Amino acid sequence: MMKRTPNHNHNHNRNRNVVNGKAAQSSSTTSFSSSSSAAAGDEPLDWEMRPGGMLVQKRTDKSESPAPILRLRVAFGAVRFEIPISSQATFGELKRALTAETGLEAAEQKVIYRGRERENGEYLEGCGVKNRSKVVLVEDPASIERRYTETKRNAKIQTAHRAISAVSMELDKLADQVSVMEESISNGMKVPEIQITTLIEMLMMQAIKLDTIAAEGAASTQKILQGKRVQKCVEMLDVLKVRNAGVEVVKPVIVTTKWETFDHWPSLIDL
């Protein structure tokens, strides 16, 4: 009687086929998923390192939902106010938003959070900023110094403009007198020399005033122009002085009429 030997090879092959079938099915499923993803046009995920050291999915413009808006409490000297801003904003963007509230340019601001000044490229959420968080805004000391210097310079320029304007008004009056004197001498009328000398001295006084004015920029240009006006008037008076010396004084002719008296007019009665 023949004994049937168990067909271990057959069972082993059958089990292997089953396993291989599952593996093939799994491989097929994975391949299908990958191909489906590719067919759907999904883009590979990009990652970025946040300032806090956290590796997160890179932000894209195709966000499914907008980032939440935070209302931050801002302390600026004695002033307190709140400002809304996206939770995904940077401190640089926060500074630009604060410009409208404070009038300070972004470069003039220092934003302090949790006792430390924050850089423009740091993200609010990366530094732990939450809704109703408090930030302190201070003006950059270098900016204060620049503003003080600029204010002082502007005040100096305005003072120079006012002083030069006052000299210009005086020169207008003196120039009118020079014109009148020139017309008189041209018409042959001799002018007392003391008047010419006095007018020259008055013009030189205005020149001394111009020299004492510290001016720059546009004020310096005006100062130079007024100085040239003084020089032109003085040169004109020097010419008039020479011309005036050559003018002959014509003595007025006095006409007198000698009336004859007749002691013996014939009487009309006698006639």
Side-chain angles (χ1 to χ4, degrees):
M1 183 175 184
M2 296 181 61
K3 294 183 179 179
R4 295 182 61 184
T5 57
N7 193 353
H8 296 290
N9 291 335
H10 177 72
N11 294 334
H12 177 71
N13 291 335
R14 185 176 61 183
N15 292 337
R16 185 173 61 181
N17 290 335
V18 172
V19 171
N20 289 339
K22 291 182 179 179
Q25 183 180 2
S26 176
S27 175
S28 175
T29 304
T30 304
S31 175
F32 175 78
S33 298
S34 299
S35 62
S36 299
S37 176
D42 292 342
E43 298 179 357
L45 298 178
D46 291 333
W47 300 88
E48 66 177 354
M49 183 71 70
R50 292 290 174 81
M54 182 184 299
L55 186 65
V56 297
Q57 182 180 346
K58 188 174 182 179
R59 299 170 181 167
T60 63
D61 295 335
K62 301 177 181 179
S63 303
E64 295 182 358
S65 59
I69 300 298
L70 306 178
R71 292 197 65 86
L72 303 184
R73 296 180 299 162
V74 182
F76 179 43
V79 180
R80 301 289 185 274
F81 60 91
E82 290 188 358
I83 186 168
I85 193 166
S86 170
S87 61
Q88 295 182 353
T90 64
F91 279 91
E93 292 170 333
L94 173 60
K95 288 181 179 180
R96 289 193 289 272
L98 290 171
T99 297
E101 296 288 340
T102 63
L104 294 178
E105 296 297 331
E108 300 173 342
Q109 301 177 24
K110 286 183 178 293
V111 176
I112 300 172
Y113 177 65
R114 291 182 177 176
R116 185 164 66 87
E117 180 185 355
R118 300 298 174 169
E119 299 296 331
N120 292 339
E122 293 184 86
Y123 289 95
L124 300 180
E125 62 181 1
C127 296
V129 178
K130 302 182 183 301
N131 192 42
R132 302 288 296 171
S133 290
K134 179 180 178 181
V135 296
V136 178
L137 173 65
V138 296
E139 186 175 1
D140 186 3
S143 172
I144 297 175
E145 180 65 24
R146 286 194 301 269
R147 181 177 289 106
Y148 172 76
T149 302
E150 186 67 19
T151 301
K152 188 176 179 180
R153 179 175 176 272
N154 290 337
K156 184 178 179 181
I157 292 175
Q158 292 298 324
T159 301
H161 275 297
R162 287 194 294 268
I164 294 172
S165 178
V167 171
S168 177
M169 293 177 64
E170 290 297 323
L171 288 179
D172 289 340
K173 298 176 184 178
L174 296 176
D176 289 341
Q177 295 183 35
V178 173
S179 299
V180 172
M181 192 172 292
E182 181 184 11
E183 184 178 358
S184 298
I185 294 175
S186 298
N187 291 333
M189 184 180 299
K190 192 175 183 67
V191 177
E193 187 174 345
I194 187 64
Q195 292 185 6
I196 300 177
T197 304
T198 302
L199 197 51
I200 292 175
E201 291 178 353
M202 294 175 68
L203 286 165
M204 295 308 298
M205 288 178 61
Q206 298 304 316
I208 294 173
K209 287 183 180 179
L210 285 173
D211 288 338
T212 59
I213 298 174
E216 60 182 30
S220 179
T221 303
Q222 291 298 321
K223 176 181 175 179
I224 293 173
L225 290 176
Q226 297 306 319
K228 290 181 177 180
R229 286 186 66 192
V230 173
Q231 183 180 357
K232 183 178 179 180
C233 288
V234 172
E235 290 175 352
M236 175 60 69
L237 288 173
D238 288 337
V239 173
L240 292 178
K241 185 186 291 186
V242 176
R243 289 171 55 187
N244 186 63
V247 175
E248 295 182 359
V249 178
V250 180
K251 294 182 179 181
V253 179
I254 301 176
V255 180
T256 59
T257 303
K258 185 177 180 181
W259 295 93
E260 295 183 357
T261 59
F262 298 92
D263 295 333
H264 302 287
W265 269 103
S267 175
L268 293 176
I269 298 175
D270 296 339
L271 294 176

